[in-house]
Amino acid sequence: MRVLQGIAVSPGVAIAKAMVVDDQQPRVTRRFISRANVDAELKRLSGAMDLVAEQIQASQDEVAVELGDQYGAIFSAHLQMVRDEKLNESLIDSIRYRHYTAEYAVSQSFARYIQFFERVPNPFLRERAGDFRDIEQRLLNVLFGADAKKKLAAKQPSIVLANDLTPSEMANLDRVNIRGIVTEVGGPGSHSAIVAEALELPAVVGVGANLRDIQTDTMLIIDGHQGRVIVSPDEETIARYEKEVEQQRQTKIRLRGLRDLPAITTDGETITLMANIEFPHEADACIERGASGVGLYRTEFLYLGQDCEPTEEDHYQVYAKVIRDMQGSPIVIRTLDLGADKIFGEDHPPEQNPFLGLRSIRLSLRNTDQFRRQLRAILRASVLGDVSVMFPLVSTLHELRQAKMLLSDLMEDLEEQSIAFNRDLKVGIMVEVPSSVVMLDRFAREIDFISIGTNDLVQYTLAVDRNNPDVAALYNSCDPAVLRLIQMAVDSAQKAKIDVTLCGQMGGNPVYTMLLIGMGLRSLSVTPSAIPEIKQICRTVSTEKCRELAARVRDMDNAWEIKRLLREHLRQLFPDEA
């Protein structure tokens, strides 16, 4: 039995035999055509491009029907790539002037795009290399006469192992027998990871070259919560995970009954459970799972896969939809949280360290035209419901004041134009860098609320890139330094009498619920699917017991021992599910 560590991108457990998917890319050799055949070869290329565009459109329609329009939009970006003028000029020139075959022209042209994106430091933009591989594979399949619509099928319950899976391959997965996905490369921002989570398929990516040693039919277990792949597990391990799978199934059924019940501790303390969402249609999941509101509405997807920046009206329409669908519940809209390379594309020189570079509020304050459009849309939408605005990655008071000044200017503009907005719009910040925690007493004088973003707070406190498989194991939310910073943030917010919510992934992990309540948190924002389980814990514990646990944790200095203690308390709460 071996345990491989990767990056968890889609939760859940899968137990099945391995199905190794080889690189399906046809081998392309350099071949030439005669001058007399150039026109015919160009016609062949044009026909292949048209057919691939039709295939992509079909994939978009299929995914949109099953998962929603926003997931289908992944393929609209592919359509734009196929129709890109520069790409098409490159292909045509390779055939017309170099007399390459259409297959070799495709191979050479796409190789340049793929290599460019693979060198980009930003992990999100780097993932786009996979999109170009996907289109290249489709084109070569058509040119070679292969069946591009062939589904990735399995004859028995299987876990797919691959170097990587393109969005097209994900869309064509056999939904009956494929139980999980493991890849050598990839990260949380890849389209494949997004689709896997939407399909509720356990997935672990970034496992590395160790995956190549595994043969088809090898028994595997995927632990999509911990990012683990267990190879050739012994009977005891299989039995343990089979029990976990069955318990999760039973728990899911039982928790549906909690939907309309409040999250109140046994001694009467109310815990507000809100939802983190990315797409407007997720409001339905929030209502279905009994969310008290949207604690974090990410707005980045408005910018992804687009040729141009979204207009003020684009922003307004999606905000208005969520506000309407949430039926009066509070909604916190976070302004843009992307890096400059995504907004400016190739015009922006690669940054040596994009995580410390021009991103989030820094980028918005640099690109004020874009920022103004988003803020105007939020202000206009603020009259439709209980809306707040939140600025991400604020690290200095100067940044906050600049953002608020721009917001104030826009309010005056709207007043002059007789456009309605909520003058009392609440303003908050994401607390996700150590500097904002240390200075929170000063920040608190100028804001209405904070939301603790643990994903970045852990990353910046421990100097660990969680997308880097070489150091991802060092990323630990239980680290005493991280917990002290969270406690400092909670204490400062309470002293200043402003609202505090925790909206990072830590809040959606049941292991941490008792600790976070014990540290004083009374509001959590988590993925909609996590709400029932977190609510169950809230309704089972007392604040006194939670405070006792937090006090014990404060005296500990080892992250692994802290996590062990938290897991033990969770097992004591639900022994039948341990």
Side-chain angles (χ1 to χ4, degrees):
M1 184 172 79
R2 283 191 301 150
V3 179
L4 306 178
Q5 185 66 49
I7 300 170
V9 295
S10 183
V13 171
I15 306 171
K17 290 184 176 179
M19 185 175 82
V20 178
V21 177
D22 293 329
D23 184 357
Q24 298 178 357
Q25 190 88 334
R27 184 179 294 277
V28 180
T29 55
R30 189 166 70 165
R31 294 177 58 196
F32 298 94
I33 56 173
S34 66
R35 186 183 301 274
N37 288 330
V38 165
D39 288 343
E41 196 69 0
L42 287 173
K43 187 176 180 181
R44 198 163 72 91
L45 172 69
S46 176
M49 298 290 277
D50 289 344
L51 186 53
V52 165
E54 290 176 12
Q55 291 173 356
I56 293 172
Q57 184 63 59
S59 294
Q60 180 177 357
D61 295 343
E62 187 177 337
V63 171
V65 167
E66 184 166 354
L67 301 178
D69 290 339
Q70 297 296 344
Y71 290 99
I74 289 172
F75 292 98
S76 69
H78 286 203
L79 276 176
Q80 292 165 7
M81 293 176 190
V82 169
R83 292 164 180 160
D84 181 76
E85 287 186 12
K86 285 185 179 179
L87 173 64
N88 278 274
E89 285 175 6
S90 172
L91 293 169
I92 291 170
D93 288 351
S94 294
I95 295 173
R96 176 169 290 150
Y97 301 115
R98 298 185 179 183
H99 295 181
Y100 289 161
T101 61
E103 290 86 347
Y104 193 65
V106 167
S107 175
Q108 291 297 296
S109 295
F110 275 82
R112 287 195 294 275
Y113 280 84
I114 292 167
Q115 288 168 8
F116 169 80
F117 281 101
E118 286 180 336
R119 290 196 298 268
V120 173
N122 180 281
F124 176 83
L125 203 54
R126 201 160 52 232
E127 299 289 356
R128 303 292 74 79
D131 295 325
F132 276 97
R133 284 196 200 90
D134 193 358
I135 300 169
E136 180 192 21
Q137 186 168 325
R138 282 183 186 268
L139 275 169
L140 292 177
N141 282 337
V142 170
L143 290 168
F144 279 114
D147 182 6
K149 287 288 289 179
K150 184 179 179 182
K151 281 189 174 294
L152 191 53
K155 296 179 180 177
Q156 59 184 354
S158 302
I159 293 172
V160 170
L161 270 59
N163 173 265
D164 196 7
L165 289 174
T166 66
S168 298
E169 289 169 332
M170 292 292 297
N172 285 324
L173 280 178
D174 170 5
R175 309 290 163 76
V176 176
N177 279 324
I178 291 179
R179 305 296 168 83
I181 296 165
V182 185
T183 64
E184 292 182 25
V185 300
S190 68
H191 284 155
S192 299
I194 293 170
V195 175
E197 188 169 19
L199 293 171
E200 298 189 3
L201 274 176
V204 176
V205 302
V207 177
N210 288 330
L211 218 57
R212 297 173 193 170
D213 299 333
I214 302 173
Q215 305 296 317
T216 290
D217 287 339
T218 302
M219 181 57 74
L220 297 178
I221 297 175
I222 294 180
D223 185 337
H225 303 286
Q226 304 296 326
R228 291 179 187 148
V229 180
I230 303 172
V231 184
S232 302
D234 56 34
E235 291 184 3
E236 182 182 350
T237 304
I238 292 175
R240 178 161 54 85
Y241 273 100
E242 283 178 339
K243 185 179 178 184
E244 183 175 331
V245 170
E246 176 58 21
Q247 285 171 344
Q248 287 177 353
R249 192 182 71 81
Q250 296 290 341
T251 299
K252 194 172 180 179
I253 295 171
R254 180 168 47 78
L255 292 180
R256 288 175 189 161
L258 298 180
R259 172 187 152 171
D260 297 323
L261 298 176
I264 297 180
T265 61
T266 56
D267 51 352
E269 193 77 38
T270 297
I271 311 297
T272 301
L273 295 182
M274 296 191 288
N276 299 338
I277 67 170
E278 190 151 11
F279 307 119
H281 71 84
E282 289 181 280
D284 296 339
C286 297
I287 299 296
E288 177 65 27
R289 305 293 167 82
S292 299
V294 174
L296 172 62
Y297 180 12
R298 302 183 181 96
T299 57
E300 289 73 59
F301 221 79
L302 274 166
Y303 296 81
L304 304 182
Q306 306 295 327
D307 278 341
C308 55
E309 292 183 14
T311 65
E312 177 185 324
E313 193 60 22
D314 291 334
H315 281 284
Y316 175 78
Q317 290 299 333
V318 294
Y319 303 156
K321 174 175 171 47
V322 172
I323 294 166
R324 283 195 304 269
D325 291 349
M326 286 304 297
Q327 306 168 11
S329 298
I331 297 164
V332 179
I333 301 175
R334 185 181 70 182
T335 59
L336 178 69
D337 189 18
L338 280 177
D341 44 6
K342 185 54 196 163
I343 298 300
F344 299 127
E346 297 178 25
D347 296 333
H348 182 74
E351 295 182 284
Q352 292 296 318
N353 192 340
F355 286 111
L356 303 181
L358 188 61
R359 57 169 288 200
S360 303
I361 192 65
R362 298 170 184 171
L363 175 62
S364 293
L365 292 173
R366 184 75 64 89
N367 186 17
T368 52
D369 287 345
Q370 168 269 314
F371 198 23
R372 290 173 65 90
R373 283 193 290 273
Q374 183 169 29
L375 290 178
R376 272 183 63 99
I378 293 172
L379 283 169
R380 287 171 54 201
S382 66
V383 296
L384 303 177
D386 185 355
V387 176
S388 303
V389 63
M390 181 163 66
F391 302 126
L393 206 72
V394 175
S395 56
T396 68
L397 281 162
H398 182 63
E399 290 171 342
L400 172 64
R401 288 166 182 165
Q402 282 184 290
K404 288 188 67 177
M405 185 178 298
L406 190 58
L407 188 67
S408 179
D409 289 344
L410 288 169
M411 287 182 175
E412 291 183 11
D413 291 345
L414 291 175
E415 275 184 342
E416 290 175 1
Q417 297 167 26
S418 300
I419 297 175
F421 69 95
N422 177 15
R423 161 95 31 205
D424 297 323
L425 175 76
K426 289 184 178 178
V427 176
I429 62 170
M430 287 274 286
V431 172
E432 48 192 340
V433 294
S435 67
S436 61
V437 177
V438 173
M439 295 297 293
L440 196 53
D441 59 329
R442 300 297 181 90
F443 278 108
R445 298 172 186 172
E446 303 180 31
I447 54 179
D448 300 300
F449 67 92
I450 64 167
S451 193
I452 303 173
T454 53
N455 300 358
D456 273 337
L457 185 61
V458 175
Q459 179 168 256
Y460 287 122
T461 302
L462 302 179
V464 171
D465 177 2
R466 66 189 179 124
N467 297 324
N468 182 343
D470 292 330
V471 297
L474 301 175
Y475 180 95
N476 196 328
S477 301
C478 280
D479 190 278
V482 174
L483 297 180
R484 283 194 186 192
L485 286 172
I486 293 173
Q487 188 67 71
M488 286 173 63
V490 173
D491 292 346
S492 294
Q494 291 179 342
K495 187 175 180 181
K497 298 182 179 178
I498 62 172
D499 293 335
V500 51
T501 295
L502 186 140
C503 65
Q505 287 181 335
M506 191 176 177
N509 189 334
V511 168
Y512 300 112
T513 306
M514 284 187 70
L515 174 64
L516 296 175
I517 294 173
M519 293 170 77
L521 279 153
R522 296 294 179 266
S523 176
L524 303 174
S525 190
V526 304
T527 57
S529 61
I531 288 175
E533 193 169 6
I534 301 300
K535 183 183 287 186
Q536 176 187 231
I537 296 171
C538 294
R539 293 177 58 85
T540 309
V541 301
S542 69
T543 53
E544 182 183 354
K545 288 292 183 186
C546 293
R547 280 194 291 269
E548 289 174 2
L549 177 61
R552 286 187 63 185
V553 169
R554 271 195 294 275
D555 290 334
M556 301 170 72
D557 57 12
N558 183 298
W560 309 112
E561 290 179 1
I562 292 172
K563 196 155 195 175
R564 193 177 305 122
L565 175 69
L566 298 180
R567 284 178 172 157
E568 179 57 31
H569 272 70
L570 188 61
R571 276 194 288 269
Q572 290 174 8
L573 277 182
F574 306 104
D576 294 339
E577 298 175 12

